Amino acid sequence: MGHVAKILVADDTRLQRMMLQKMLQSDQIEVVLANDGQQAVEVFFKEKPDLCILDVVMPNLDGIGAAKQIVGSLSENEYVPIVFITAQDNEENLKRCVEAKADDFIAKPFNPTILHAKINSLLRFKRLYEEQSEQKKQLQTFQQIAEQEQDVAAAIHEKIIHSRFLDAPNVKHFLSPMSLFNGDIFLVAKTPGNQLYCLLGDFTGHGLSASVGASPAADIFYGMVNKGFGGAEILREINKKLHCLLPVQMFLAATLVTLDPESRFINVMTCGLPDHYLFNTSTGQTQTIKSQNVPLGIIEDFEVQEQLFSVTADDFLYLFTDGIIEAESNEGKQFGFEGIESCLQANEQSVFENILAGQQQHCLGLDQQDDITLIEIHCDLDNAPWKNFGQTNQYKQIVPLIWKSSMEFEMKTLQHVSPVPVMLNAIMEIQGLLKYKQSIFIIISELFNNCLDHGLLGLDSRLKKSAEGFSNYYEMKTQRLNEREGYIKVMFSHRVLKNGGQLIIRMKDSGEGFDHEKLVSSFSDNQNYHGRGIPLVNSLCKSLQYSDAGTRVKAIFEWQNEELTHQ
Amino acid sequence: MAVNVNLKADTRELTVKISGRFDFSVHQDIRKATEQVTSTIKQVIIDLKATEYVDSSALGMLLVLRDKIGGDKEKVKIVNASPEVKKILEIASFDKLFMLA
């Protein structure tokens, strides 16, 4: 069995060395010896003892000198107790020993019981000291790792927020570094149609874990805004993604504001953030906007409740996360909604600065909790000052391409899927004509349904004359889909025109044709439940031609990029 | 849920909200909504805010709904249509048959 402790005994008197060795040496303790102070120092470095017993008076180097060298060589985390052998009556000596960091004294003649008690106590103390040093070291390491992670998290977050951020002149924002670290995100972008979208979000969780969700949320936001998707669609998409990605206890409280210069409305979609304020500087009135939706990432999908506000250039919208509300004064009082409201009333010219200053005043002299996010959006839809800001590629015009694509659908397939949305999405993917989505949808949908209903299924539109028949028609359609055979072939091609393009849609079906002449006639009697489809297509297309007794149809749709100066 | 029907008991107002595509695929749901239109209903509101696109069968379904309430233009209001959907409704002269808001 190894020794638990090693003790250095340094004494120039051989008899004393032997006595101490005899008293101390055991299964637990190994004793190493030195004849004088110089040797004591050498043995100490060689043997690394846990404790030193030094005679004060020794040749070459005395005990005090040796102790100074030994203690001086120790690092911050090391501790070696020093015990001096001395006569207790020499006050001067005792003082010198204490200065040399003496931990204890033993007097001659040695009492074995007292000696053991002192040694054991000092060894226990040494072990405690070392354990504590080791823990301190570990803590420091953990703290360093945590700080590095925080830096990384803040950097990632910063990048996510700022890389594609549109610095719109009507939007002021303040996000403190601590709020970034706490998972607050603020994203701004504009659609090709010049609508401004602002998303403020507050993730539950901190640091890296919060950044994990921020990245896909920002990707979806910027990607979809660039393509001109609606606000509700974007929120639903972010929600779906976060629902898949985040652990149950994590979610994103968020608000999406869209500013549409054409409609003169702002649309506020709120998902679990504190109340927002819409403040009118000319009337001094404030509308409170309360959250209406579940925070994102909790439920699989939801229908987004939207709140529309008619605004003028006097309207300012204020958004914030809970940090600013919960900021406490030294009396433990929260800044609260009252704090914000009083700032709104106090000075209408610089409410944004007022709220920040008011909040700082409120927390005066306290350690800044520093988790502050405040957004001000000036609802200046008349001037839409953001329109000349941001990357020019957001104004990028749709580039007309030359391409062809054809698809063929068997009846068996049509029983299971409706291919119209698939075809529409394919066209949107290739050509990006989002602006014309509804028009292209109706053209494809009407032509395709005519091929199917009249060409393949032989259904007669006149069935739809009465409300009853209208319903019967669709029941019959479902039934015949399961009984008949046939196919529909669809071909799309696209050509480049000056500042635009031409989409040509051709369809052919295996049926016997139908009386297409009647269908193309205009909206003769607009009270009918049917007969509206083809005239609609006709008015949307440059040309529409049926041939081969109605089994073939060709529609030409033209589109143009708007002039850059268009407002 | 593609079609959401909500009846306000106090004002006898029936709101029909259509999400996604408004075409043949929702005709069963619209039919059920139409059945709820009885003589006690004062106003039908068609909310197209969440509607991505409409086709001609949707226009037919709207007309069936309108007839059920008596064919009165004032009684059926179409709200929140996107500019593109609005354009289609206008091409079909639906602004003469419905209140387009």
Side-chain angles (χ1 to χ4, degrees):
Chain A
M1 192 183 142
H3 300 289
V4 175
K6 192 188 270 187
I7 294 175
L8 167 67
V9 172
D11 200 315
D12 56 332
T13 317
R14 184 166 177 269
L15 183 68
Q16 285 197 143
R17 282 203 307 272
M18 300 311 290
M19 277 174 65
L20 283 168
Q21 186 178 27
K22 205 163 181 343
M23 280 183 205
L24 293 169
Q25 203 150 359
S26 69
D27 286 345
Q28 310 274 302
I29 295 174
E30 182 188 354
V31 177
V32 290
L33 299 171
N35 300 332
D36 57 39
Q38 191 59 49
Q39 207 182 17
V41 174
E42 284 162 21
V43 172
F44 175 81
F45 287 124
K46 194 170 155 229
E47 297 285 344
K48 297 273 168 208
D50 299 297
L51 184 147
C52 301
I53 300 174
L54 307 172
D55 191 5
V56 176
V57 186
M58 286 189 288
N60 291 330
L61 182 67
D62 68 2
I64 290 163
K68 279 181 178 164
Q69 284 194 31
I70 290 169
V71 171
S73 78
L74 297 177
S75 75
E76 199 189 331
N77 299 325
E78 285 174 303
Y79 171 58
V80 177
I82 307 287
V83 180
F84 285 105
I85 305 166
T86 183
Q88 295 207 341
D89 51 1
N90 189 336
E91 183 63 21
E92 192 53 37
N93 253 356
L94 286 177
K95 268 188 189 160
R96 285 177 61 223
C97 290
V98 170
E99 277 163 22
K101 302 260 158 50
D103 290 285
D104 212 336
F105 303 93
I106 46 174
K108 289 173 266 190
F110 307 128
N111 176 316
T113 312
I114 293 174
L115 180 67
H116 276 126
K118 284 187 172 179
I119 298 297
N120 286 337
S121 154
L122 283 169
L123 285 174
R124 255 199 317 277
F125 186 65
K126 174 192 163 69
R127 275 193 291 273
L128 272 174
Y129 183 90
E130 283 173 349
E131 275 169 24
Q132 193 255 347
S133 297
E134 182 59 29
Q135 283 168 352
K136 194 171 134 198
K137 219 164 85 184
Q138 281 180 359
L139 269 177
Q140 279 170 342
T141 312
F142 284 136
Q143 197 183 356
Q144 273 172 9
I145 293 172
E147 274 169 12
Q148 276 170 10
E149 284 204 345
Q150 288 177 13
D151 289 347
V152 171
I156 292 174
H157 226 88
E158 169 82 9
K159 202 157 192 177
I160 290 166
I161 286 163
H162 278 123
S163 59
R164 284 169 289 175
F165 185 85
L166 174 72
D167 206 0
N170 61 318
V171 179
K172 286 185 192 171
H173 64 280
F174 179 83
L175 278 89
S176 64
M178 196 55 196
S179 72
L180 278 182
F181 175 68
N182 280 344
D184 283 2
I185 55 171
F186 183 54
L187 312 170
V188 179
K190 62 183 178 184
T191 66
N194 234 340
Q195 295 153 318
L196 189 71
Y197 284 37
C198 309
L199 181 104
L200 174 64
D202 180 4
F203 275 100
T204 49
H206 298 269
L208 273 182
S209 56
S211 302
V212 166
S215 180
D219 281 346
I220 293 170
F221 175 82
Y222 287 118
M224 288 181 80
V225 175
N226 266 325
K227 287 180 187 148
F229 280 93
E233 286 174 284
I234 296 174
L235 283 182
R236 285 175 68 176
E237 203 56 39
I238 294 175
N239 177 62
K240 276 185 214 162
K241 185 77 184 179
L242 294 181
H243 179 71
C244 293
L245 203 70
L246 298 183
V248 196
Q249 73 277 16
M250 261 189 83
F251 54 82
L252 175 67
T255 287
L256 176 61
V257 183
T258 69
L259 289 82
D260 184 357
E262 290 215 353
S263 75
R264 302 296 160 99
F265 277 105
I266 62 163
N267 189 346
V268 185
M269 288 155 264
T270 48
C271 312
L273 281 180
D275 291 358
H276 305 316
Y277 292 99
L278 185 61
F279 178 64
N280 187 295
T281 50
S282 81
T283 64
Q285 283 186 335
T286 310
Q287 284 186 73
T288 307
I289 305 173
K290 294 204 175 297
S291 173
Q292 288 193 326
N293 297 285
V294 197
L296 307 178
I298 296 176
I299 47 177
E300 200 176 341
D301 197 6
F302 67 103
E303 203 168 306
V304 181
Q305 299 294 321
E306 303 172 36
Q307 299 179 73
L308 291 173
F309 299 91
S310 176
V311 289
T312 67
D314 291 330
D315 284 304
F316 290 80
L317 180 65
Y318 294 92
L319 313 178
F320 28 82
T321 59
D322 46 17
I324 201 157
I325 304 290
E326 287 163 9
E328 285 183 0
S329 70
N330 50 9
E331 287 120 38
K333 190 173 175 293
Q334 297 196 339
F335 186 58
F337 291 104
E338 302 78 25
I340 304 232
E341 272 167 10
S342 66
C343 289
L344 287 176
Q345 300 304 332
N347 179 348
E348 58 278 1
Q349 285 312 310
S350 56
V351 176
F352 182 78
E353 287 76 12
N354 261 4
I355 295 177
L356 282 183
Q359 191 271 344
Q360 271 158 19
Q361 183 76 27
H362 180 78
C363 302
L364 206 61
L366 290 184
D367 269 350
Q368 185 69 290
Q369 286 147 321
D370 208 22
D371 178 10
I372 307 250
T373 297
L374 174 67
I375 312 294
E376 177 191 273
I377 301 172
H378 182 198
C379 305
D380 185 6
L381 298 180
D382 295 332
N383 297 313
W386 59 87
K387 67 188 170 203
N388 297 323
F389 280 75
Q391 297 162 345
T392 45
N393 70 5
Q394 288 187 321
Y395 279 99
K396 196 176 73 182
Q397 307 225 316
I398 305 164
V399 181
L401 306 168
I402 302 167
W403 53 273
K404 270 185 199 171
S405 162
S406 68
M407 304 179 202
E408 193 172 318
F409 302 96
E410 291 286 329
M411 190 70 90
K412 287 220 159 44
T413 311
L414 297 174
Q415 289 163 9
H416 300 288
V417 292
S418 165
V420 175
V422 181
M423 294 190 276
L424 185 70
N425 284 340
I427 292 172
M428 292 303 132
E429 286 291 322
I430 302 169
Q431 194 60 67
L433 297 170
L434 273 169
K435 259 188 79 177
Y436 307 98
K437 211 169 168 184
Q438 163 71 57
S439 298
I440 294 171
F441 170 80
I442 213 160
I443 296 167
I444 299 174
S445 169
E446 297 305 328
L447 297 182
F448 191 84
N449 283 324
N450 272 331
C451 285
L452 182 63
D453 293 10
H454 308 314
L456 295 188
L457 303 179
L459 292 162
D460 190 336
S461 283
R462 280 170 299 187
L463 273 171
K464 290 196 270 192
K465 264 195 175 140
S466 68
E468 193 59 29
F470 189 82
S471 187
N472 286 343
Y473 181 90
Y474 288 112
E475 274 160 29
M476 214 186 260
K477 177 172 178 175
T478 314
Q479 189 191 343
R480 289 196 185 176
L481 265 172
N482 288 310
E483 295 167 358
R484 305 226 171 168
E485 302 261 322
Y487 68 86
I488 298 172
K489 202 171 167 180
V490 185
M491 200 180 100
F492 299 105
S493 58
H494 192 269
R495 302 196 309 159
V496 180
L497 293 181
K498 188 170 177 279
N499 197 29
Q502 189 180 64
L503 177 69
I504 303 162
I505 301 160
R506 290 189 181 87
M507 294 195 195
K508 178 188 175 345
D509 66 71
S510 64
E512 288 168 5
F514 62 101
D515 187 0
H516 53 89
E517 303 280 338
K518 257 191 201 156
L519 284 178
V520 188
S521 65
S522 63
F523 308 98
S524 49
D525 175 7
N526 209 19
Q527 303 285 333
N528 268 350
Y529 299 144
H530 68 94
R532 212 162 269 104
I534 297 305
L536 265 176
V537 174
N538 207 9
S539 63
L540 293 170
C541 288
K542 187 174 184 330
S543 80
L544 176 69
Q545 281 178 319
Y546 271 97
S547 58
D548 285 3
T551 58
R552 282 173 191 272
V553 63
K554 177 182 174 186
I556 299 176
F557 174 80
E558 287 188 355
W559 59 270
Q560 287 216 318
N561 273 315
E562 282 169 33
E563 296 298 322
L564 274 174
T565 50
H566 177 83
Q567 295 193 354
Chain B
M1 197 181 295
V3 178
N4 197 314
V5 185
N6 184 21
L7 176 64
K8 265 194 204 159
D10 51 343
T11 56
R12 304 303 296 165
E13 221 177 63
L14 188 81
T15 304
V16 183
K17 196 168 179 182
I18 299 116
S19 319
R21 276 184 291 139
F22 186 6
D23 63 4
F24 165 60
S25 62
V26 297
H27 102 270
Q28 287 290 1
D29 295 324
I30 296 291
R31 205 180 128 184
K32 277 184 203 138
T34 308
E35 279 164 9
Q36 287 197 41
V37 180
T38 58
S39 54
T40 63
I41 299 289
K42 296 232 159 33
Q43 176 90 57
V44 176
I45 294 166
I46 312 288
D47 188 344
L48 299 184
K49 183 151 65 188
T51 307
E52 282 178 67
Y53 358 84
V54 299
D55 73 354
S56 69
S57 66
L59 302 183
M61 289 181 238
L62 289 174
L63 285 173
V64 173
L65 241 164
R66 175 178 174 275
D67 283 3
K68 191 80 191 285
I69 203 169
D72 189 347
K73 176 181 172 177
E74 307 296 317
K75 283 195 173 170
V76 189
K77 208 190 259 180
I78 301 178
V79 298
N80 293 327
S82 72
E84 273 241 289
V85 170
K86 218 169 181 173
K87 185 175 131 196
I88 300 295
L89 295 174
E90 280 164 6
I91 292 175
S93 300
F94 266 39
D95 46 343
K96 296 190 181 69
L97 302 172
F98 297 86
M99 304 262 290
L100 282 190

